[in-house]
Amino acid sequence: MIDFTAPADVVGPQLLGCLITHNGVTIRLTEVEAYLGEEDEAAHTYRGKTQRNAAMFGEPGRLYVYLSYGIHLNGNIVCAPEGTGQGCLMRGGEVVEGVDVARERRQAKGNIVVDENLARGPGNLGQALGLSLPDNGTPVQLTERDEEPEWESGPRVGISKNVDAPYRFWIPGDRTVSKFRGKKR
């Protein structure tokens, strides 16, 4: 059983292979990134609690949903003890239930999206799940995996601070994982 009160870099690998269900879609997580609060310059919570990041300082096992670059809704799962500001960004996964719903959400602009790309990347995953800002702070609906998959770790993607920290975790060879692989653990 996942202990969401553990640090994000401990919880991250435990999320791989788990199922998250939200708004009629279930995704098997294949890629996540850990953010370690005030000790991690890349974390939204590095400089402390704000109105935007308050959910990250809340109860573990809840969603932190935020708007990225003004267009993508990304989702983190809050980890570590309340008040710590840690979480795991859901970066990628495989849609295992609600494929038609996810496809409709992802193809809304007329683009054809192949199954492996429906939830590849944090913005795409958020769109496939139908995340919205009102979901911020709500409990995560997670089904734990039956067994631990093989996994690797390396640097996170798309950040400019603390770039070498090996806080990105993924299932090697899975087609829903970002193409950037970085260093291995």
Side-chain angles (χ1 to χ4, degrees):
M1 184 167 171
I2 296 175
D3 176 8
F4 288 108
T5 65
D9 59 333
V10 173
V11 173
Q14 295 176 26
L15 291 171
L16 297 174
C18 291
L19 303 176
I20 181 165
T21 301
H22 191 78
N23 287 335
V25 172
T26 299
I27 293 175
R28 181 181 63 89
L29 295 173
T30 60
E31 181 180 12
V32 299
E33 289 180 348
Y35 288 89
L36 301 179
E38 294 177 342
E39 69 181 68
D40 182 357
E41 286 184 279
H44 285 187
T45 54
Y46 175 68
R47 298 195 190 285
K49 188 175 179 180
T50 66
Q51 185 176 357
R52 178 187 187 211
N53 69 20
M56 283 279 277
F57 289 91
E59 187 179 335
R62 293 185 174 263
L63 287 172
Y64 164 51
V65 179
Y66 65 95
L67 192 59
S68 177
Y69 300 110
I71 53 174
H72 301 291
L73 286 165
N74 294 348
N76 284 254
I77 298 174
V78 177
C79 304
E82 193 167 341
T84 308
Q86 295 190 30
C88 291
L89 172 68
M90 298 180 288
R91 277 203 56 82
E94 173 192 10
V95 179
V96 295
E97 289 181 25
V99 174
D100 291 339
V101 174
R103 183 174 288 112
E104 184 176 318
R105 289 175 181 150
R106 290 277 291 117
Q107 295 181 173
K109 295 179 183 173
N111 299 326
I112 303 298
V113 180
V114 297
D115 286 358
E116 69 190 54
N117 291 337
L118 286 173
R120 179 194 277 169
N124 294 335
L125 189 145
Q127 188 176 18
L129 286 175
L131 291 179
S132 66
L133 290 176
D135 294 322
N136 194 34
T138 62
V140 168
Q141 188 177 345
L142 191 79
T143 304
E144 294 192 30
R145 62 194 185 202
D146 292 329
E147 58 186 55
E148 179 179 7
E150 180 183 334
W151 57 273
E152 295 179 358
S153 69
R156 295 171 291 195
V157 178
I159 58 171
S160 60
K161 299 188 182 201
N162 203 10
V163 295
D164 292 327
Y167 296 150
R168 182 170 155 260
F169 307 98
W170 69 89
I171 297 174
D174 193 291
R175 293 170 48 175
T176 64
V177 172
S178 303
K179 295 200 183 296
F180 175 76
R181 298 292 190 254
K183 301 174 189 173
K184 294 182 180 180
R185 67 176 160 129

